[in-house]
Amino acid sequence: SVKMSEQEYSVGNPLLQAERDDNISLRLTSGAHSLVLRWGYAPNPITNVVFDRGDTLFTTNINAPAKYDYAASYSFGSRIRPWWHLSANVEFTHMYLPQSQYERRITQVFLSMRHTFSIARSINVDLNANYASPWIMNDKRIADRFKMDLSARYTFPRSQITLALTGQNLLARRRREAITSNLMLRNIDWNETAPMSLLASLTWRFSAGGKKINQERIQDRNMDKYRL
């Protein structure tokens, strides 16, 4: 058991079974467009329960009766202009737990978009952003999240030296909220999950020469030493 607080413990369950999942997916692709449909079923999804013994609360994991997943995603990736490449993805997920003691229908939307700009063949700029709507995990509600990263790379002509500048979480939801709520407990947590960071790097690509190595000569043919 793990002591969470003076009156709360997390305990194991020796009867807990590994969750089994069955999935069927269908992918349709046409040029730069792709559509994916997915259906999933888990006969024994893992969930958690809270029970009390006097003034002490205990949390443990159990196998729930069933879980159904329905998902659809659309993605696009192509060069919009000779200097501009766009990759985008939209995903919709719906989960149904018919006998859950918490939320029985859970829906989430995920969006991502990446722009790559090429300038004068020596400069590349990447702008990447993604968003996920609020999510529910058993009795815990997790707030939505958003972040945007920006990076730029410049390759010096002839020298094969590349200078890269990267900024992560330039725009982001800095604080994430998680609410645990059930019949016996209500707890609110705030976490700083997306600090802004800046990174600079210098890379030098070099070649060892044009001499070819005969792979037949270096291949190890003595397989007896690998036998037990």
Side-chain angles (χ1 to χ4, degrees):
S1 63
V2 178
K3 184 176 182 179
M4 310 298 293
S5 65
E6 291 300 325
Q7 293 181 312
E8 184 182 0
Y9 290 83
S10 176
V11 296
N13 179 5
L15 302 179
L16 186 68
Q17 299 179 1
E19 181 174 319
R20 304 190 305 273
D21 293 282
D22 297 320
N23 293 276
I24 299 176
S25 62
L26 173 65
R27 177 184 294 272
L28 304 174
T29 302
S30 177
H33 307 272
S34 180
L35 176 66
V36 178
L37 303 176
R38 182 178 61 82
W39 174 85
Y41 169 71
N44 61 339
I46 295 177
T47 185
N48 69 315
V49 294
V50 179
F51 59 95
D52 66 319
R53 292 290 185 270
D55 295 333
T56 304
L57 296 180
F58 297 89
T59 302
T60 190
N61 292 324
I62 63 171
N63 292 106
K67 179 182 70 174
Y68 299 88
D69 287 317
Y70 309 89
S73 65
Y74 165 76
S75 60
F76 171 84
S78 180
R79 192 172 295 277
I80 308 301
R81 295 288 187 271
W83 46 270
W84 176 20
H85 186 275
L86 171 63
S87 298
N89 181 66
V90 180
E91 183 173 345
F92 172 86
T93 302
H94 179 75
M95 184 185 301
Y96 176 48
L97 298 96
Q99 301 184 45
S100 173
Q101 61 176 317
Y102 307 119
E103 292 287 340
R104 297 188 177 184
R105 295 185 180 273
I106 305 170
T107 302
Q108 186 183 41
V109 178
F110 177 78
L111 308 171
S112 68
M113 185 173 295
R114 179 170 183 171
H115 302 267
T116 301
F117 304 97
S118 300
I119 305 173
R121 296 184 180 181
S122 299
I123 301 176
N124 290 311
V125 178
D126 289 333
L127 177 63
N128 187 23
N130 61 68
Y131 169 80
S133 64
W135 184 245
I136 301 175
M137 297 177 59
N138 299 326
D139 59 347
K140 179 177 291 187
R141 297 174 180 268
I142 301 175
D144 60 343
R145 66 180 189 270
F146 168 78
K147 62 174 294 186
M148 186 181 73
D149 303 331
L150 178 65
S151 65
R153 299 183 304 277
Y154 174 73
T155 301
F156 295 89
R158 299 182 181 179
S159 65
Q160 296 299 314
I161 296 178
T162 300
L163 174 64
L165 300 175
T166 303
Q168 294 184 339
N169 302 319
L170 297 181
L171 292 177
R173 191 176 299 280
R174 309 295 181 193
R175 173 180 288 188
R176 292 187 61 187
E177 179 184 76
I179 301 177
T180 302
S181 179
N182 51 58
L183 296 177
M184 302 180 182
L185 179 68
R186 180 174 176 83
N187 187 39
I188 303 177
D189 295 325
W190 291 277
N191 296 312
E192 299 292 336
T193 57
M196 184 174 63
S197 63
L198 300 174
L199 174 66
S201 63
L202 193 64
T203 305
W204 177 37
R205 297 181 60 187
F206 63 93
S207 174
K211 185 178 179 179
K212 295 183 179 180
I213 301 177
N214 190 338
Q215 297 294 332
E216 293 294 330
R217 295 181 57 187
I218 64 174
Q219 183 177 359
D220 187 358
R221 297 182 180 277
N222 182 17
M223 301 303 296
D224 290 337
K225 66 180 182 180
Y226 299 112
R227 299 174 181 171
L228 297 179

